[in-house]
Amino acid sequence: MGRKILALLTVVLLAAVFVAGCGGSNTGGQSSGGQKFINIATGGTSGTYYPLGGALAEIWNKNIQGANATAQSTGASVANVNLLKDGKAEVIFVQNDIAYYTYNGTEMFKDNKYEDIRGLATLYPETIQIVTRADKGIKAIADLKGKKVAVGAAGSGTETNARQILEAAGITYNDIQVQYLSFSEAANNLKDGNIDAAFVTAGYPTAAIQDIAAQHKIVLIPLDDKTVETLISKYPFYTRTVIPANTYSGQTEDVVAVSVKAMLAVSAKYDEDMAYQMVKTMYENQERLKAAHKNGELITPDTGKEGMSIPLHPGAEKYFKEIGK
């Protein structure tokens, strides 16, 4: 009988050790094999976040002892915040405006505030491009009144960008025919002439806009100085941006726009040393980021805190202080 009890106790003890070894996500905890699992929440496979996330996974796996990082395709910023909050991702790609809403409990996070979100680094500008076809006769943002305008999917980051920019220009949704369309739906409808203009939040040049420009002469609608100043004074996470001439076929002049910033974020509970190593090795392997996507060349420590809209994680703060930034 004593042997049976001893055997049972041994099984229970081994099970307890196994469960303890599979420690929680979001803290940088190790698995039973000493590995540090890093699930990177990115975006759609055709976007910018996904290839950069894959490059980061490769960098961290090669340069951080025990790292086991993988990039996951997701619904991007808003979905990623929820994955982080639920402990289903360790690192997320997110727009700095969405991170701001998350931390402060505003906009789409009005009833879902998450104060434990922390920044690792800002990466590159995501420009709000307002595109139309030349045959629509729209040359300024005021010309959008009465037009069918795609503002992004309902509740998306793009939709919030569109509403805030229109507000700064003195235009409400009552002044336009609002079309809640996703990125791809907006591009297809503009190509087919079913809508008059579309808001697109993405790094330029954007493949979908290039595709429209290959079939129709396009116009990027510029923002006037007053609209830009009004917008930035109310929403400081925006920055003034100039889209250079010839970014798209037929675009012969520079166009003034505004941008938000793509950034990386983690939980406040995430391990400080791991966060430090992730930021450090990311910047030490910029060639791999550039190989993954053109915007990789914009990911530098000199701009890593520009537009940071939430508190920095202590691990990231340690890195930037170390390099004098």
Side-chain angles (χ1 to χ4, degrees):
M1 195 64 149
R3 287 181 185 175
K4 286 184 179 178
I5 293 172
L6 184 61
L8 182 60
L9 286 171
T10 302
V11 170
V12 170
L13 182 60
L14 287 172
V17 169
F18 176 78
V19 170
C22 294
S25 178
N26 246 349
T27 62
Q30 293 188 2
S31 75
S32 56
Q35 290 186 313
K36 304 176 183 77
F37 291 104
I38 309 168
N39 186 31
I40 308 165
T42 62
T45 54
S46 61
T48 307
Y49 290 173
Y50 186 73
L52 287 175
L56 285 177
E58 188 178 310
I59 289 167
W60 292 338
N61 288 339
K62 284 184 177 180
N63 296 283
I64 300 176
Q65 186 176 1
N68 186 346
T70 54
Q72 175 188 352
S73 176
T74 69
S77 292
V78 176
N80 291 350
V81 167
N82 290 321
L83 288 170
L84 183 68
K85 188 176 182 181
D86 294 341
K88 294 177 180 176
E90 281 68 50
V91 181
I92 65 169
F93 281 77
V94 61
Q95 288 177 197
N96 67 338
D97 55 335
I98 303 299
Y100 177 89
Y101 306 144
T102 302
Y103 183 77
N104 291 284
T106 56
E107 293 291 346
M108 68 285 288
F109 289 97
K110 188 175 181 181
D111 301 313
N112 197 21
K113 188 176 185 178
Y114 179 49
E115 290 183 291
D116 273 350
I117 188 171
R118 294 291 183 272
L120 282 184
T122 55
L123 305 176
Y124 59 86
E126 293 197 88
T127 302
I128 297 91
Q129 303 163 77
I130 314 172
V131 61
T132 183
R133 285 171 32 171
D135 58 7
K136 296 291 185 178
I138 300 170
K139 296 179 180 178
I141 195 163
D143 298 336
L144 292 177
K145 289 183 178 179
K147 305 294 186 183
K148 291 181 180 177
V149 182
V151 296
S156 67
T158 299
E159 190 271 323
T160 307
N161 297 149
R163 180 161 34 83
Q164 290 170 347
I165 290 169
L166 289 168
E167 173 194 54
I171 299 171
T172 71
Y173 277 4
N174 292 330
D175 299 318
I176 62 173
Q177 297 179 54
V178 177
Q179 310 290 308
Y180 293 105
L181 300 174
S182 70
F183 187 88
S184 57
E185 290 170 338
N188 289 332
N189 276 274
L190 192 57
K191 268 195 294 191
D192 296 340
N194 297 327
I195 60 172
D196 300 304
F199 281 78
V200 175
T201 301
Y204 63 79
T206 306
I209 297 178
Q210 288 176 314
D211 186 39
I212 301 167
Q215 298 181 35
H216 304 278
K217 182 171 173 52
I218 66 161
V219 171
L220 291 181
I221 302 169
L223 297 180
D224 58 89
D225 289 342
K226 184 182 177 184
T227 297
V228 172
E229 288 165 11
T230 301
L231 182 72
I232 293 174
S233 66
K234 187 168 184 180
Y235 306 104
F237 43 75
Y238 284 105
T239 57
R240 185 181 187 274
T241 303
V242 175
I243 304 172
N246 303 311
T247 295
Y248 298 105
S249 175
Q251 178 215 338
T252 56
E253 296 180 355
D254 291 350
V255 174
V256 174
V258 290
S259 296
V260 289
K261 280 278 194 115
M263 60 177 284
L264 295 176
V266 294
S267 163
K269 300 179 181 71
Y270 198 72
D271 181 76
E272 183 174 335
D273 183 60
M274 275 296 292
Y276 167 81
Q277 289 187 65
M278 289 193 297
V279 176
K280 185 175 189 291
T281 56
M282 174 179 74
Y283 287 128
E284 289 175 348
N285 291 273
Q286 193 188 20
E287 289 305 313
R288 179 64 188 90
L289 296 174
K290 287 199 287 193
H293 194 279
K294 187 177 185 295
N295 282 338
E297 66 190 32
L298 303 175
I299 302 173
T300 71
D302 288 340
T303 60
K305 295 201 303 185
E306 284 182 5
M308 181 57 69
S309 56
I310 57 174
L312 268 179
H313 187 279
E317 197 168 4
K318 177 184 174 183
Y319 171 79
F320 286 114
K321 280 183 179 176
E322 195 174 84
I323 65 167
K325 299 295 178 186

